[in-house]
Amino acid sequence: MTLKKLKNINGYGFSLIIAVTFGLMQLAEMTGEPPLYILQPLSIAIYIFVLLFFANTIRTLLMRRRFEAGITYGRLARDIALSMVAAVVSGAGIFHFFGYTTLGTACKAGLSTMNDALYLASVTFTTLGYGDFLPCPGWSRFASATLSLFGNLHLAFLVSLVMVIIGEREAEAKSRTGEKKRQKSHEAE
């Protein structure tokens, strides 16, 4: 299996993981009594897979021969965008199944709403800060710390990817204008 096919499988598999995590959260919220003995380890595994996927995307971005393997800037941007969405959704799964609290209330795992968990994960990922929700001790705080770190890294790599694309287009435009000047000078001779 080539690296190009593997990256496509990663992207599609990643989209499936986002859908499964979101579906599990919805199912747990509808039943009211989620089977935490299954869902908590599964949400940890999905979250760790998301972090590893992002690490692989960074490795691909830094790889010198990425274009020989058929990896384009478009695919890297897609992988970073998928990684951003999956990090927020899987972080919300951690918060949903391990709990978070509002100010002045006790932590209760598995009793939070999905919308609140998605909100908390989004606020953590963008490093806006908390005002109404706090992660509970344990895996929720681990997810909170890593989500904020990876939120900053996602933004940095997205901005650097855009800057590299702009720089390459400017260099290409300069080489075309230089080539046109050389052709004109040869024609004038």
Side-chain angles (χ1 to χ4, degrees):
M1 181 175 289
T2 66
L3 185 60
K4 185 176 182 179
K5 288 181 182 177
L6 184 63
K7 288 305 264 180
N8 279 334
I9 290 171
N10 276 345
Y12 296 131
F14 216 47
S15 299
L16 180 65
I17 284 176
I18 293 169
V20 166
T21 303
F22 195 75
L24 287 173
M25 290 169 56
Q26 185 69 38
L27 180 66
E29 191 170 319
M30 287 179 0
T31 60
E33 290 288 329
L36 295 178
Y37 60 91
I38 295 171
L39 296 177
Q40 284 180 337
L42 185 61
S43 65
I44 292 170
I46 289 171
Y47 188 74
I48 290 172
F49 177 78
V50 168
L51 299 180
L52 292 175
F53 181 83
F54 180 65
N56 185 45
T57 302
I58 292 172
R59 184 191 62 79
T60 303
L61 185 64
L62 299 175
M63 191 171 67
R64 290 182 182 210
R65 297 183 181 167
R66 66 181 168 269
F67 297 110
E68 293 173 13
I71 299 167
T72 63
Y73 286 129
R75 178 168 294 158
L76 287 172
R78 179 203 67 185
D79 286 351
I80 290 173
L82 274 172
S83 182
M84 290 170 72
V85 171
V88 170
V89 170
S90 63
I94 294 281
F95 293 137
H96 187 68
F97 298 124
F98 284 91
Y100 58 86
T101 182
T102 58
L103 295 174
T105 61
C107 287
K108 294 180 182 174
L111 299 176
S112 57
T113 66
M114 185 176 61
N115 290 337
D116 290 342
L118 282 169
Y119 165 75
L120 179 61
S122 299
V123 167
T124 304
F125 188 80
T126 57
T127 64
L128 290 175
Y130 306 118
D132 44 2
F133 295 111
L134 300 170
C136 290
W139 279 101
S140 289
R141 287 198 181 160
F142 171 76
S144 175
T146 55
L147 262 178
S148 61
L149 174 69
F150 280 101
N152 286 323
L153 287 176
H154 276 89
L155 180 62
F157 277 101
L158 199 57
V159 168
S160 68
L161 185 61
V162 168
M163 295 309 294
V164 165
I165 291 170
I166 290 171
E168 284 185 0
R169 287 188 180 166
E170 286 180 359
E172 185 179 303
K174 284 181 182 179
S175 77
R176 277 185 280 176
T177 57
E179 189 175 305
K180 287 179 184 179
K181 286 180 182 179
R182 281 191 295 270
Q183 285 177 352
K184 285 183 182 180
S185 68
H186 286 294
E187 289 173 5
E189 291 177 0

